[in-house]
Amino acid sequence: MQGVALVTFPAISTVLTSANGYGLSSSSYGLIFLPQVIAAIAASFLGGKLSRLWGAKHLLLLGLMANTASMGVLLLSSLWIHEPTVALPMLLTATALMGFGFGAVVPLLNTFIADFQPQRVDQSILMLNALLGLGTALAPALAALVVGPGIWWLLPLIVLVAAALLLVACRAQPLQLSSNDQDGGAKAGLQQGDPGLLVLFVLVAILYGLIETLNGNWSVLLMSRRVESPPQIASMALTVFWAMVTIGRLFFSGVSRWLTPKLLLPGLPVFLAVVLAAISRLTSGDDSSALVLFALAGFGCSAMLPLIISFGQKRLNWLGESVAGLLIASYQLGFGLAAFGGGTLQQALQLPVSTLFGWGAWVALALALLSVCIIAPKGLASLSQR
């Protein structure tokens, strides 16, 4: 549900920007995602503290309520679809609610999974995030079925019903974390933990967010402008990217005994650097090559975020249940930098879209180096002492 909900707004982008729909300009369309990023970062960052204050279950229920309300406001805004002065504030409210829902629900799901299956943390979190990726891949497919016939409102209605049903179901579950003294444990851990290691994990999450969003937000534009693909082929690049993110997470969850985080965390960014460099060199007519490369990019991205979270929960255990929220907040910061910063750089410097992917290759190499540091923090500490 959360995966479909998160991609609902981009999935109906043609409705939001077309003259027959909301008629948003490009700048207004980009603006509606700003509250989502801010709210997601705030909810993820403060999630640990709110969870200790209100309880993890109550925060999860609030997140599901926010998802339900987001889809409700989106549906309600359709009554003023041709009145942008009314519809735009409602859309901004809807995306802010979605950001809070995502920022509250996803870190808690990762925390619950790690707590419920402590012997299989890496596999469980990979599987959980594979389901999240399945939702993000499903949303464009569902949108294709309902946008064309003019019944686009069915997509947010489906998400609203699903979120409401999950809200009812979760209320009936205990959803208790094993640690009862979470607040005290976290405070004690702050005195024993390694702040330098925490900074490294935050930087890794930010850089990964940049790379994933580069592919997720700019692939269609590169396909249409650089490769000069027709709209159907350009949209397929985004579909294959998210589909391979899901398939890759399923694959890596099955081979986690052999391909450990210590191998994958530095190895996948190197693989991504090669793929992004190849994408930056695409030219007109390279439709097939582009689709293959975006599929490979999705495969390279697939295991990174789940592994960063699961590995972080092991190495940053002194932060308690705040780990997942902090790392997802950092990931969302990378999302915001790529989503808004990429467009600003491109417009200000008059850069081709392919240049952004070339820069992304260097970001991936930096991610690989930082990943080496987080899997060998003692070696890094000794190096800094020298």
PDB file of all heavy atoms in Angstrom, residues 152-180:
ATOM      1  N   TRP A 152      -9.237   8.315 -13.428  1.00  0.00           N
ATOM      2  CA  TRP A 152      -8.000   8.341 -12.663  1.00  0.00           C
ATOM      3  C   TRP A 152      -8.243   8.310 -11.162  1.00  0.00           C
ATOM      4  O   TRP A 152      -7.396   7.828 -10.388  1.00  0.00           O
ATOM      5  CB  TRP A 152      -7.185   9.582 -13.013  1.00  0.00           C
ATOM      6  CG  TRP A 152      -7.869  10.867 -12.647  1.00  0.00           C
ATOM      7  CD1 TRP A 152      -8.696  11.611 -13.427  1.00  0.00           C
ATOM      8  CD2 TRP A 152      -7.795  11.538 -11.384  1.00  0.00           C
ATOM      9  NE1 TRP A 152      -9.149  12.715 -12.741  1.00  0.00           N
ATOM     10  CE2 TRP A 152      -8.603  12.689 -11.469  1.00  0.00           C
ATOM     11  CE3 TRP A 152      -7.125  11.282 -10.178  1.00  0.00           C
ATOM     12  CZ2 TRP A 152      -8.770  13.580 -10.419  1.00  0.00           C
ATOM     13  CZ3 TRP A 152      -7.282  12.167  -9.127  1.00  0.00           C
ATOM     14  CH2 TRP A 152      -8.103  13.302  -9.258  1.00  0.00           C
ATOM     15  N   TRP A 153      -9.392   8.837 -10.727  1.00  0.00           N
ATOM     16  CA  TRP A 153      -9.703   8.921  -9.305  1.00  0.00           C
ATOM     17  C   TRP A 153      -9.812   7.542  -8.654  1.00  0.00           C
ATOM     18  O   TRP A 153      -9.788   7.422  -7.423  1.00  0.00           O
ATOM     19  CB  TRP A 153     -11.005   9.694  -9.096  1.00  0.00           C
ATOM     20  CG  TRP A 153     -12.116   9.277 -10.019  1.00  0.00           C
ATOM     21  CD1 TRP A 153     -12.434   9.799 -11.224  1.00  0.00           C
ATOM     22  CD2 TRP A 153     -13.029   8.190  -9.791  1.00  0.00           C
ATOM     23  NE1 TRP A 153     -13.501   9.132 -11.784  1.00  0.00           N
ATOM     24  CE2 TRP A 153     -13.889   8.143 -10.915  1.00  0.00           C
ATOM     25  CE3 TRP A 153     -13.222   7.287  -8.755  1.00  0.00           C
ATOM     26  CZ2 TRP A 153     -14.908   7.200 -11.028  1.00  0.00           C
ATOM     27  CZ3 TRP A 153     -14.231   6.350  -8.865  1.00  0.00           C
ATOM     28  CH2 TRP A 153     -15.061   6.317  -9.990  1.00  0.00           C
ATOM     29  N   LEU A 154      -9.925   6.482  -9.476  1.00  0.00           N
ATOM     30  CA  LEU A 154      -9.978   5.135  -8.911  1.00  0.00           C
ATOM     31  C   LEU A 154      -8.676   4.764  -8.204  1.00  0.00           C
ATOM     32  O   LEU A 154      -8.684   4.015  -7.224  1.00  0.00           O
ATOM     33  CB  LEU A 154     -10.269   4.116 -10.008  1.00  0.00           C
ATOM     34  CG  LEU A 154     -11.739   3.833 -10.335  1.00  0.00           C
ATOM     35  CD1 LEU A 154     -11.848   2.842 -11.478  1.00  0.00           C
ATOM     36  CD2 LEU A 154     -12.475   3.330  -9.103  1.00  0.00           C
ATOM     37  N   LEU A 155      -7.542   5.276  -8.703  1.00  0.00           N
ATOM     38  CA  LEU A 155      -6.256   4.938  -8.087  1.00  0.00           C
ATOM     39  C   LEU A 155      -6.175   5.462  -6.655  1.00  0.00           C
ATOM     40  O   LEU A 155      -5.920   4.678  -5.726  1.00  0.00           O
ATOM     41  CB  LEU A 155      -5.104   5.467  -8.946  1.00  0.00           C
ATOM     42  CG  LEU A 155      -3.691   5.215  -8.394  1.00  0.00           C
ATOM     43  CD1 LEU A 155      -3.448   3.730  -8.160  1.00  0.00           C
ATOM     44  CD2 LEU A 155      -2.640   5.778  -9.346  1.00  0.00           C
ATOM     45  N   PRO A 156      -6.372   6.768  -6.402  1.00  0.00           N
ATOM     46  CA  PRO A 156      -6.361   7.210  -4.999  1.00  0.00           C
ATOM     47  C   PRO A 156      -7.472   6.590  -4.163  1.00  0.00           C
ATOM     48  O   PRO A 156      -7.303   6.396  -2.955  1.00  0.00           O
ATOM     49  CB  PRO A 156      -6.510   8.731  -5.092  1.00  0.00           C
ATOM     50  CG  PRO A 156      -7.035   9.006  -6.452  1.00  0.00           C
ATOM     51  CD  PRO A 156      -6.504   7.913  -7.322  1.00  0.00           C
ATOM     52  N   LEU A 157      -8.598   6.260  -4.783  1.00  0.00           N
ATOM     53  CA  LEU A 157      -9.678   5.615  -4.035  1.00  0.00           C
ATOM     54  C   LEU A 157      -9.261   4.227  -3.558  1.00  0.00           C
ATOM     55  O   LEU A 157      -9.534   3.838  -2.409  1.00  0.00           O
ATOM     56  CB  LEU A 157     -10.941   5.522  -4.898  1.00  0.00           C
ATOM     57  CG  LEU A 157     -12.153   4.864  -4.239  1.00  0.00           C
ATOM     58  CD1 LEU A 157     -12.594   5.654  -3.004  1.00  0.00           C
ATOM     59  CD2 LEU A 157     -13.314   4.738  -5.233  1.00  0.00           C
ATOM     60  N   ILE A 158      -8.571   3.477  -4.427  1.00  0.00           N
ATOM     61  CA  ILE A 158      -8.075   2.146  -4.046  1.00  0.00           C
ATOM     62  C   ILE A 158      -7.087   2.257  -2.886  1.00  0.00           C
ATOM     63  O   ILE A 158      -7.136   1.488  -1.917  1.00  0.00           O
ATOM     64  CB  ILE A 158      -7.423   1.453  -5.255  1.00  0.00           C
ATOM     65  CG1 ILE A 158      -8.489   1.082  -6.293  1.00  0.00           C
ATOM     66  CG2 ILE A 158      -6.651   0.213  -4.826  1.00  0.00           C
ATOM     67  CD1 ILE A 158      -7.909   0.610  -7.610  1.00  0.00           C
ATOM     68  N   VAL A 159      -6.175   3.228  -2.976  1.00  0.00           N
ATOM     69  CA  VAL A 159      -5.184   3.408  -1.908  1.00  0.00           C
ATOM     70  C   VAL A 159      -5.868   3.813  -0.612  1.00  0.00           C
ATOM     71  O   VAL A 159      -5.506   3.344   0.481  1.00  0.00           O
ATOM     72  CB  VAL A 159      -4.135   4.450  -2.325  1.00  0.00           C
ATOM     73  CG1 VAL A 159      -3.126   4.667  -1.198  1.00  0.00           C
ATOM     74  CG2 VAL A 159      -3.408   4.015  -3.592  1.00  0.00           C
ATOM     75  N   LEU A 160      -6.849   4.698  -0.706  1.00  0.00           N
ATOM     76  CA  LEU A 160      -7.579   5.142   0.486  1.00  0.00           C
ATOM     77  C   LEU A 160      -8.233   3.954   1.188  1.00  0.00           C
ATOM     78  O   LEU A 160      -8.122   3.796   2.415  1.00  0.00           O
ATOM     79  CB  LEU A 160      -8.640   6.175   0.089  1.00  0.00           C
ATOM     80  CG  LEU A 160      -9.435   6.842   1.224  1.00  0.00           C
ATOM     81  CD1 LEU A 160      -9.871   8.251   0.818  1.00  0.00           C
ATOM     82  CD2 LEU A 160     -10.686   6.039   1.602  1.00  0.00           C
ATOM     83  N   VAL A 161      -8.919   3.102   0.427  1.00  0.00           N
ATOM     84  CA  VAL A 161      -9.585   1.939   1.022  1.00  0.00           C
ATOM     85  C   VAL A 161      -8.566   0.991   1.634  1.00  0.00           C
ATOM     86  O   VAL A 161      -8.755   0.480   2.754  1.00  0.00           O
ATOM     87  CB  VAL A 161     -10.443   1.216  -0.043  1.00  0.00           C
ATOM     88  CG1 VAL A 161     -10.986  -0.096   0.512  1.00  0.00           C
ATOM     89  CG2 VAL A 161     -11.591   2.110  -0.506  1.00  0.00           C
ATOM     90  N   ALA A 162      -7.448   0.759   0.919  1.00  0.00           N
ATOM     91  CA  ALA A 162      -6.416  -0.141   1.436  1.00  0.00           C
ATOM     92  C   ALA A 162      -5.807   0.389   2.731  1.00  0.00           C
ATOM     93  O   ALA A 162      -5.608  -0.356   3.701  1.00  0.00           O
ATOM     94  CB  ALA A 162      -5.330  -0.348   0.380  1.00  0.00           C
ATOM     95  N   ALA A 163      -5.496   1.696   2.761  1.00  0.00           N
ATOM     96  CA  ALA A 163      -4.913   2.290   3.965  1.00  0.00           C
ATOM     97  C   ALA A 163      -5.895   2.233   5.136  1.00  0.00           C
ATOM     98  O   ALA A 163      -5.498   1.963   6.280  1.00  0.00           O
ATOM     99  CB  ALA A 163      -4.502   3.738   3.685  1.00  0.00           C
ATOM    100  N   ALA A 164      -7.178   2.477   4.861  1.00  0.00           N
ATOM    101  CA  ALA A 164      -8.184   2.427   5.919  1.00  0.00           C
ATOM    102  C   ALA A 164      -8.332   1.010   6.474  1.00  0.00           C
ATOM    103  O   ALA A 164      -8.444   0.806   7.691  1.00  0.00           O
ATOM    104  CB  ALA A 164      -9.521   2.935   5.388  1.00  0.00           C
ATOM    105  N   LEU A 165      -8.321  -0.001   5.596  1.00  0.00           N
ATOM    106  CA  LEU A 165      -8.429  -1.388   6.039  1.00  0.00           C
ATOM    107  C   LEU A 165      -7.211  -1.801   6.863  1.00  0.00           C
ATOM    108  O   LEU A 165      -7.330  -2.494   7.882  1.00  0.00           O
ATOM    109  CB  LEU A 165      -8.588  -2.314   4.836  1.00  0.00           C
ATOM    110  CG  LEU A 165      -9.926  -2.230   4.089  1.00  0.00           C
ATOM    111  CD1 LEU A 165      -9.893  -3.097   2.834  1.00  0.00           C
ATOM    112  CD2 LEU A 165     -11.087  -2.642   5.000  1.00  0.00           C
ATOM    113  N   LEU A 166      -6.027  -1.359   6.438  1.00  0.00           N
ATOM    114  CA  LEU A 166      -4.811  -1.661   7.202  1.00  0.00           C
ATOM    115  C   LEU A 166      -4.826  -0.961   8.553  1.00  0.00           C
ATOM    116  O   LEU A 166      -4.333  -1.504   9.550  1.00  0.00           O
ATOM    117  CB  LEU A 166      -3.579  -1.229   6.404  1.00  0.00           C
ATOM    118  CG  LEU A 166      -3.221  -2.140   5.225  1.00  0.00           C
ATOM    119  CD1 LEU A 166      -2.182  -1.479   4.331  1.00  0.00           C
ATOM    120  CD2 LEU A 166      -2.710  -3.482   5.724  1.00  0.00           C
ATOM    121  N   LEU A 167      -5.385   0.228   8.595  1.00  0.00           N
ATOM    122  CA  LEU A 167      -5.514   0.960   9.859  1.00  0.00           C
ATOM    123  C   LEU A 167      -6.352   0.160  10.849  1.00  0.00           C
ATOM    124  O   LEU A 167      -5.986   0.004  12.021  1.00  0.00           O
ATOM    125  CB  LEU A 167      -6.133   2.327   9.600  1.00  0.00           C
ATOM    126  CG  LEU A 167      -6.421   3.214  10.811  1.00  0.00           C
ATOM    127  CD1 LEU A 167      -5.132   3.546  11.551  1.00  0.00           C
ATOM    128  CD2 LEU A 167      -7.113   4.499  10.367  1.00  0.00           C
ATOM    129  N   VAL A 168      -7.478  -0.371  10.375  1.00  0.00           N
ATOM    130  CA  VAL A 168      -8.347  -1.180  11.233  1.00  0.00           C
ATOM    131  C   VAL A 168      -7.635  -2.457  11.676  1.00  0.00           C
ATOM    132  O   VAL A 168      -7.693  -2.858  12.848  1.00  0.00           O
ATOM    133  CB  VAL A 168      -9.664  -1.509  10.489  1.00  0.00           C
ATOM    134  CG1 VAL A 168     -10.502  -2.486  11.309  1.00  0.00           C
ATOM    135  CG2 VAL A 168     -10.450  -0.240  10.208  1.00  0.00           C
ATOM    136  N   ALA A 169      -6.927  -3.107  10.720  1.00  0.00           N
ATOM    137  CA  ALA A 169      -6.245  -4.357  11.036  1.00  0.00           C
ATOM    138  C   ALA A 169      -5.124  -4.149  12.049  1.00  0.00           C
ATOM    139  O   ALA A 169      -4.945  -4.952  12.973  1.00  0.00           O
ATOM    140  CB  ALA A 169      -5.696  -4.977   9.757  1.00  0.00           C
ATOM    141  N   CYS A 170      -4.356  -3.072  11.891  1.00  0.00           N
ATOM    142  CA  CYS A 170      -3.236  -2.815  12.800  1.00  0.00           C
ATOM    143  C   CYS A 170      -3.710  -2.448  14.207  1.00  0.00           C
ATOM    144  O   CYS A 170      -3.007  -2.728  15.192  1.00  0.00           O
ATOM    145  CB  CYS A 170      -2.339  -1.710  12.243  1.00  0.00           C
ATOM    146  SG  CYS A 170      -1.372  -2.222  10.816  1.00  0.00           S
ATOM    147  N   ARG A 171      -4.861  -1.840  14.311  1.00  0.00           N
ATOM    148  CA  ARG A 171      -5.402  -1.507  15.639  1.00  0.00           C
ATOM    149  C   ARG A 171      -5.657  -2.769  16.451  1.00  0.00           C
ATOM    150  O   ARG A 171      -5.600  -2.741  17.685  1.00  0.00           O
ATOM    151  CB  ARG A 171      -6.695  -0.705  15.506  1.00  0.00           C
ATOM    152  CG  ARG A 171      -6.497   0.754  15.128  1.00  0.00           C
ATOM    153  CD  ARG A 171      -7.842   1.447  14.935  1.00  0.00           C
ATOM    154  NE  ARG A 171      -8.627   1.433  16.160  1.00  0.00           N
ATOM    155  CZ  ARG A 171      -8.579   2.376  17.105  1.00  0.00           C
ATOM    156  NH1 ARG A 171      -7.743   3.399  16.948  1.00  0.00           N
ATOM    157  NH2 ARG A 171      -9.321   2.304  18.178  1.00  0.00           N
ATOM    158  N   ALA A 172      -5.942  -3.872  15.758  1.00  0.00           N
ATOM    159  CA  ALA A 172      -6.265  -5.118  16.451  1.00  0.00           C
ATOM    160  C   ALA A 172      -5.019  -5.931  16.821  1.00  0.00           C
ATOM    161  O   ALA A 172      -5.132  -6.960  17.485  1.00  0.00           O
ATOM    162  CB  ALA A 172      -7.192  -5.967  15.584  1.00  0.00           C
ATOM    163  N   GLN A 173      -3.834  -5.481  16.398  1.00  0.00           N
ATOM    164  CA  GLN A 173      -2.593  -6.212  16.658  1.00  0.00           C
ATOM    165  C   GLN A 173      -1.826  -5.577  17.817  1.00  0.00           C
ATOM    166  O   GLN A 173      -1.897  -4.367  18.026  1.00  0.00           O
ATOM    167  CB  GLN A 173      -1.715  -6.216  15.409  1.00  0.00           C
ATOM    168  CG  GLN A 173      -2.334  -6.901  14.209  1.00  0.00           C
ATOM    169  CD  GLN A 173      -2.609  -8.371  14.467  1.00  0.00           C
ATOM    170  OE1 GLN A 173      -1.807  -9.061  15.092  1.00  0.00           O
ATOM    171  NE2 GLN A 173      -3.746  -8.854  13.993  1.00  0.00           N
ATOM    172  N   PRO A 174      -1.078  -6.381  18.596  1.00  0.00           N
ATOM    173  CA  PRO A 174      -0.320  -5.809  19.723  1.00  0.00           C
ATOM    174  C   PRO A 174       0.818  -4.897  19.271  1.00  0.00           C
ATOM    175  O   PRO A 174       1.023  -3.826  19.838  1.00  0.00           O
ATOM    176  CB  PRO A 174       0.215  -7.046  20.463  1.00  0.00           C
ATOM    177  CG  PRO A 174       0.179  -8.142  19.449  1.00  0.00           C
ATOM    178  CD  PRO A 174      -0.982  -7.843  18.541  1.00  0.00           C
ATOM    179  N   LEU A 175       1.582  -5.328  18.254  1.00  0.00           N
ATOM    180  CA  LEU A 175       2.675  -4.518  17.695  1.00  0.00           C
ATOM    181  C   LEU A 175       3.559  -3.929  18.794  1.00  0.00           C
ATOM    182  O   LEU A 175       3.766  -2.722  18.889  1.00  0.00           O
ATOM    183  CB  LEU A 175       2.109  -3.402  16.804  1.00  0.00           C
ATOM    184  CG  LEU A 175       1.387  -3.876  15.539  1.00  0.00           C
ATOM    185  CD1 LEU A 175       0.794  -2.695  14.781  1.00  0.00           C
ATOM    186  CD2 LEU A 175       2.332  -4.653  14.629  1.00  0.00           C
ATOM    187  N   GLN A 176       4.096  -4.832  19.611  1.00  0.00           N
ATOM    188  CA  GLN A 176       4.972  -4.432  20.704  1.00  0.00           C
ATOM    189  C   GLN A 176       6.421  -4.704  20.328  1.00  0.00           C
ATOM    190  O   GLN A 176       6.752  -5.789  19.840  1.00  0.00           O
ATOM    191  CB  GLN A 176       4.620  -5.224  21.975  1.00  0.00           C
ATOM    192  CG  GLN A 176       3.241  -4.933  22.526  1.00  0.00           C
ATOM    193  CD  GLN A 176       3.188  -3.618  23.272  1.00  0.00           C
ATOM    194  OE1 GLN A 176       4.218  -3.059  23.643  1.00  0.00           O
ATOM    195  NE2 GLN A 176       1.998  -3.100  23.485  1.00  0.00           N
ATOM    196  N   LEU A 177       7.288  -3.726  20.563  1.00  0.00           N
ATOM    197  CA  LEU A 177       8.723  -3.941  20.386  1.00  0.00           C
ATOM    198  C   LEU A 177       9.285  -4.630  21.621  1.00  0.00           C
ATOM    199  O   LEU A 177       8.792  -4.434  22.735  1.00  0.00           O
ATOM    200  CB  LEU A 177       9.434  -2.613  20.144  1.00  0.00           C
ATOM    201  CG  LEU A 177       9.130  -1.923  18.802  1.00  0.00           C
ATOM    202  CD1 LEU A 177       9.696  -0.510  18.795  1.00  0.00           C
ATOM    203  CD2 LEU A 177       9.685  -2.723  17.644  1.00  0.00           C
ATOM    204  N   SER A 178      10.323  -5.431  21.435  1.00  0.00           N
ATOM    205  CA  SER A 178      10.852  -6.225  22.541  1.00  0.00           C
ATOM    206  C   SER A 178      11.513  -5.363  23.599  1.00  0.00           C
ATOM    207  O   SER A 178      11.531  -5.704  24.769  1.00  0.00           O
ATOM    208  CB  SER A 178      11.857  -7.256  22.016  1.00  0.00           C
ATOM    209  OG  SER A 178      12.937  -6.603  21.371  1.00  0.00           O
ATOM    210  N   SER A 179      12.081  -4.208  23.198  1.00  0.00           N
ATOM    211  CA  SER A 179      12.765  -3.336  24.156  1.00  0.00           C
ATOM    212  C   SER A 179      11.763  -2.429  24.829  1.00  0.00           C
ATOM    213  O   SER A 179      11.079  -1.641  24.186  1.00  0.00           O
ATOM    214  CB  SER A 179      13.841  -2.505  23.444  1.00  0.00           C
ATOM    215  OG  SER A 179      14.427  -1.610  24.356  1.00  0.00           O
ATOM    216  N   ASN A 180      11.655  -2.519  26.137  1.00  0.00           N
ATOM    217  CA  ASN A 180      10.704  -1.684  26.872  1.00  0.00           C
ATOM    218  C   ASN A 180      11.325  -0.372  27.299  1.00  0.00           C
ATOM    219  O   ASN A 180      10.647   0.636  27.419  1.00  0.00           O
ATOM    220  CB  ASN A 180      10.206  -2.433  28.125  1.00  0.00           C
ATOM    221  CG  ASN A 180       9.382  -3.654  27.766  1.00  0.00           C
ATOM    222  OD1 ASN A 180       8.599  -3.616  26.817  1.00  0.00           O
ATOM    223  ND2 ASN A 180       9.569  -4.732  28.533  1.00  0.00           N
TER     224      ASN A 180
END
